[in-house]
Structure formats: structure tokens, C-alpha cells
């Protein structure tokens, strides 16, 4: 009898301890973070220096690939210096675009221009992207320029090195062609098959 009572008490105490342990574990911030699915991270926004020049984001090489092209020429009759162009998009803006079909305020896209390589063994044919020549960026921020989208050149190894910050380019140099010829909100989505496939709502 005594034994069974202490046994019952022991069980009650044990279950209390278990409840208390569960309560502690379930509310401990580090453990809660592990248990829940990864929360949607906050929107990443463009950063400017004291002169309101756009800072080159440190991690743009880790952005999401949305398009690549070879030798697209912007100028008429211009068989100039051909390059591989790769377009990357900042991941939080990318997720927003995939979900809504909209380029939200703060959207950042990077265009990486690389040289063309051929005849590198064991390849006997074909072309591949070689050294980076330069980086350009397109940023949607109507707090920075009234027309919304601003365009920036950050130079690159073939242009005397990367700039860490850049001022918006003149509208006539970049914006005018983008606003006139790009398929969707200044962005050349007509050349971004991968992005279009990921974002059915953009259609
Ligand atoms: C005559 C037209 C034209 C002009 C001028 C132009 N671009 Fe573009 N831009 C394009 C095309 C076409 C693409 C499509 C991607 C490609 O080239 O592979 C593009 C793509 C881009 C992208 C990738 C994001 C997007 O909007 O699709 C960036 C960033 C960019 N250009 C920056 C610039 C900058 C900076 C300038 C000015 C120095 C500039 N562009 C001037 C035609 C133009």
C-alpha cells in the first residue's frame, strides 16, 4: 500500500517534471528556432553610403540565377565586343516576384558580364564564360530616383577594379532603353526563361 502510494506520487512527480521540462524546452528561444520551419526572412533592401551612392552588396554572387545570354547586342549594327551576360536577383525580392509577379520596392538585379572562351581542352567545340569583365546593377527604389528604377556600373577586373559604391547612371544611358524595350516593369524578362518558369503569376 505504502509502496504503491509512493509509486503513484513518484509517477505524478515524474510527469510534472516531464511537463516542466517540455515547457522549458518548448519556450527556450534557441530550441524554438530549431523546431519551427525557417521563417520568411525580412526583405533585403539596397544600402547607400553618405553620398547616397549604392553600395555593391557583398553577397551578390550568391543571388539567384534568373537568366543568361550570349552576345546580346544593345546597339544597332554593333558587332562589338561580345560577352556572356548572367543576370542574378536578390533572393528575398526573387521570392516576392515568384509569389506575386511583382518587382517590389527594393528589388535588386545584378548583371555580370564575362568574356568568351573557346578551344580549351578537352572541349573541341563550344564557348564558355571566362573572366568577369564588369558588374552592373538595376535597383527599384523610388525613394532614390523619381522614375523608380536606377542603374549602376561597378566596374570590374577589366576596368581597373570594382567600385564599392556607385552613383545612378544618367537616364539616357540606361533607363531609357530599359523602360522602352524591357517586357516587364523595366526588367528584360523576355530573356529570362528560368524566371518566367518559376513565376507563373507574372504572366
Ligand atoms: C539599348 C538597350 C540597353 C541599354 C542602353 C542598357 N541596357 Fe541593360 N539590359 C538590356 C538588355 C537587352 C538586357 C537583358 C539581359 C542581357 O543583356 O543579357 C539588359 C539587362 C540589364 C540588367 C539585368 C536586369 C534587367 O533589367 O533585365 C542590368 C542590371 C542592366 N541591364 C544594367 C544596365 C546599365 C547599368 C545600363 C547603363 C550603363 C544599361 N543596362 C543600359 C538593354 C539595355
Amino acid at each position: 500500500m505504502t509502496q504503491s502510494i509512493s509509486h503513484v506520487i513518484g509517477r505524478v512527480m515524474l510527469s510534472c517534471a516531464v511537463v516542466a521540462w517540455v515547457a522549458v524546452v518548448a519556450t527556450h528561444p534557441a530550441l524554438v528556432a530549431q523546431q519551427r520551419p525557417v521563417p520568411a526572412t525580412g526583405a533585403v533592401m539596397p544600402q547607400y553610403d553618405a553620398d547616397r551612392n549604392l553600395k555593391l552588396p557583398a553577397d551578390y554572387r550568391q543571388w539567384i540565377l534568373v537568366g543568361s545570354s550570349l552576345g546580346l547586342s544593345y546597339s544597332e549594327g554593333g558587332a562589338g565586343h561580345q560577352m556572356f551576360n548572367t543576370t542574378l536577383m536578390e533572393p528575398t525580392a526573387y521570392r516576392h516576384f515568384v509569389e506575386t509577379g511583382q518587382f517590389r520596392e527594393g528589388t535588386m538585379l545584378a548583371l555580370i558580364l564575362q568574356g568568351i572562351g573557346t578551344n580549351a581542352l578537352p572541349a573541341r567545340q563550344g564557348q564558355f564564360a571566362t573572366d568577369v569583365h564588369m558588374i552592373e546593377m538595376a535597383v527599384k527604389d523610388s525613394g532614390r530616383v523619381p522614375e523608380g528604377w536606377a542603374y549602376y556600373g561597378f566596374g570590374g577586373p577589366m576596368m581597373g577594379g570594382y567600385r564599392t559604391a556607385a552613383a545612378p547612371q544618367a537616364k539616357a544611358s540606361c533607363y531609357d532603353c530599359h523602360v522602352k524595350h524591357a517586357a516587364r516593369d523595366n526588367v528584360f524578362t523576355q530573356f529570362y526563361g528560368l524566371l518566367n518558369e518559376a513565376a507563373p503569376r507574372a504572366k
Side-chain angles (χ1 to χ4, degrees):
M1 184 70 184
T2 327
Q3 240 182 3
S4 71
I5 283 174
S6 67
H7 179 74
V8 167
I9 290 170
R11 298 227 5 158
V12 168
M13 283 174 70
L14 180 66
S15 50
C16 284
V18 166
V19 166
W21 180 79
V22 166
V24 166
V25 167
T27 53
H28 190 281
L31 293 162
V32 168
Q34 277 175 11
Q35 287 163 5
R36 289 188 191 148
V38 180
T41 43
V44 172
M45 301 298 281
Q47 302 295 316
Y48 300 95
D49 68 10
D51 299 322
R52 300 187 78 209
N53 291 334
L54 180 72
K55 291 188 194 171
L56 180 64
D59 63 346
Y60 66 87
R61 292 187 193 83
Q62 295 167 35
W63 289 2
I64 294 176
L65 178 73
V66 299
S68 52
S69 68
L70 171 60
L72 273 188
S73 178
Y74 297 175
S75 49
E76 281 175 40
H81 184 44
Q82 290 208 338
M83 282 190 271
F84 272 99
N85 293 353
T86 305
T87 303
L88 305 174
M89 192 169 169
E90 188 283 311
T92 64
Y94 174 89
R95 280 198 286 278
H96 185 90
F97 184 76
V98 167
E99 283 161 19
T100 65
Q102 306 292 323
F103 295 109
R104 65 155 168 79
E105 283 288 321
T107 294
M108 294 186 277
L109 294 141
L111 183 68
I112 302 181
L113 297 96
Q114 287 169 272
I116 298 174
T118 53
N119 296 328
L121 285 171
R124 296 190 176 276
Q125 283 157 41
Q127 299 174 311
F128 61 97
T130 58
D131 298 340
V132 174
H133 287 216
M134 56 181 177
I135 308 288
E136 295 184 334
M137 277 183 64
V139 174
K140 185 176 182 177
D141 184 351
S142 49
R144 182 63 188 84
V145 291
E147 61 272 21
W149 286 95
Y151 297 86
Y152 302 87
F154 286 95
M158 300 281 173
M159 298 177 73
Y162 293 106
R163 279 191 282 276
T164 52
Q169 299 277 320
K171 270 180 77 182
S173 314
C174 316
Y175 177 89
D176 288 354
C177 176
H178 275 250
V179 75
K180 191 166 170 211
H181 299 293
R184 190 173 189 83
D185 190 9
N186 272 46
V187 182
F188 279 92
T189 54
Q190 65 265 50
F191 300 127
Y192 303 150
L194 192 58
L195 180 64
N196 294 332
E197 192 182 69
R201 289 187 191 200
K203 296 217 174 89

